[in-house]
Amino acid sequence: EPEVTQTPSHQVTQMGQEVILRCVPISNHLYFYWYRQILGQKVEFLVSFYNNEISEKSEIFDDQFSVERPDGSNFTLKIRSTKLEDSAMYFCASSEGGLAADTQYFGPGTRLTVL
Amino acid sequence: AQSVTQLGSHVSVSEGALVLLRCNYSSSVPPYLFWYVQYPNQGLQLLLKYTSAATLVKGINGFEAEFKKSETSFHLTKPSAHMSDAAEYFCAVSEYGNKLVFGAGTILRVKS
């Protein structure tokens, strides 16, 4: 069964450094998402992406964050200058359609630790 | 604004007992509702979803959920718990577009 994959599974970085989290969505899906979960808190929406553009973003997704689909298979989240509060589990998801009823399929997550 | 409340951050049941995980939502329009499960070190897996076709929704692994508009609830149930059901369960709502809003999650423990 097709699945969303994410690399790395765990990333440790120093405050102020740039990180890139990578995701490979399901191949025929057209809509891509990033969510994050800070330890002990809810899973929060960050951004959705379609047709090489951001469809929607949350207040969390400020200028420090960017997303890109650099090729036909990868979808990346870049954090330009990491802060301690960026430490969280980051989940990538993809869906075939972009409607509210469409199922989003999640990857296993990347645990980001900022020291 | 849409929101989800999951009552009980931890639920413990005996193997073979009924599982009931509670979810209440707030939405200004008829919502789409989802239950996801997360096993240790894995991603979120869809259990079932409500998209207005039927109020009682059956999902994978014997789980089902009933949409009750009058109670703004979408509780998840399973008649008989199995050890393999131990996991964290998330209720989520989606209104417009495709942004999911999640509840805080409920960790289910199954005792032998």
Side-chain angles (χ1 to χ4, degrees), chain B residues 72-89:
Chain B
T72 60
S73 69
F74 189 57
H75 301 332
L76 182 70
T77 61
K78 181 174 180 177
S80 176
H82 191 272
M83 296 297 289
S84 61
D85 294 327
E88 188 163 16
Y89 293 79

Side-chain angles (χ1 to χ4, degrees), chain A residues 59-97:
Chain A
E59 292 176 354
I60 302 167
F61 195 89
D62 61 21
D63 292 344
Q64 292 297 317
F65 292 89
S66 63
V67 289
E68 189 180 29
R69 187 147 164 85
D71 53 42
S73 59
N74 289 283
F75 179 52
T76 62
L77 174 69
K78 182 193 292 186
I79 308 175
R80 263 180 271 281
S81 178
T82 50
K83 307 183 186 75
L84 294 177
E85 54 264 38
D86 294 328
S87 294
M89 180 72 90
Y90 288 81
F91 294 105
C92 174
S94 68
S95 65
E96 202 169 346

Side-chain angles (χ1 to χ4, degrees), chain A residues 31 33 35 37 41-45 48 55-56 89 91 95 97-109, chain B residues 4-5 32 34 36 38 41-46 49 51 88 90 94-104:
Chain A
Y31 294 81
Y33 316 84
Y35 292 80
Q37 184 180 29
Q41 298 186 23
K42 296 183 179 184
V43 176
E44 304 171 287
F45 169 81
S48 59
S55 310
E56 186 175 356
M89 180 72 90
F91 294 105
S95 65
L99 300 177
D102 287 310
T103 298
Q104 295 181 28
Y105 295 85
F106 284 77
Chain B
V4 172
T5 301
Y32 298 102
F34 304 79
Y36 282 87
Q38 185 179 29
N41 301 315
Q42 295 186 30
L44 300 167
Q45 179 184 3
L46 181 72
K49 67 178 182 181
T51 59
E88 188 163 16
F90 294 92
S94 178
E95 289 181 344
Y96 303 106
N98 45 21
K99 177 180 76 173
L100 288 173
V101 174
F102 284 88

Side-chain angles (χ1 to χ4, degrees), chain B residues 4-112:
Chain B
V4 172
T5 301
Q6 290 184 241
L7 282 175
S9 58
H10 291 77
V11 170
S12 183
V13 301
S14 298
E15 194 172 19
L18 171 72
V19 175
L20 171 61
L21 304 182
R22 299 178 187 274
C23 172
N24 288 89
Y25 68 90
S26 171
S27 174
S28 57
V29 298
Y32 298 102
L33 294 158
F34 304 79
W35 274 101
Y36 282 87
V37 60
Q38 185 179 29
Y39 299 102
N41 301 315
Q42 295 186 30
L44 300 167
Q45 179 184 3
L46 181 72
L47 272 179
L48 49 81
K49 67 178 182 181
Y50 167 75
T51 59
S52 77
T55 56
L56 183 63
V57 182
K58 293 188 184 300
I60 62 172
N61 302 337
F63 284 92
E64 61 181 39
E66 186 173 8
F67 173 71
K68 291 188 177 180
K69 184 179 178 182
S70 60
E71 299 177 7
T72 60
S73 69
F74 189 57
H75 301 332
L76 182 70
T77 61
K78 181 174 180 177
S80 176
H82 191 272
M83 296 297 289
S84 61
D85 294 327
E88 188 163 16
Y89 293 79
F90 294 92
C91 183
V93 64
S94 178
E95 289 181 344
Y96 303 106
N98 45 21
K99 177 180 76 173
L100 288 173
V101 174
F102 284 88
T106 297
I107 295 173
L108 175 66
R109 179 182 167 222
V110 181
K111 299 175 291 185
S112 58

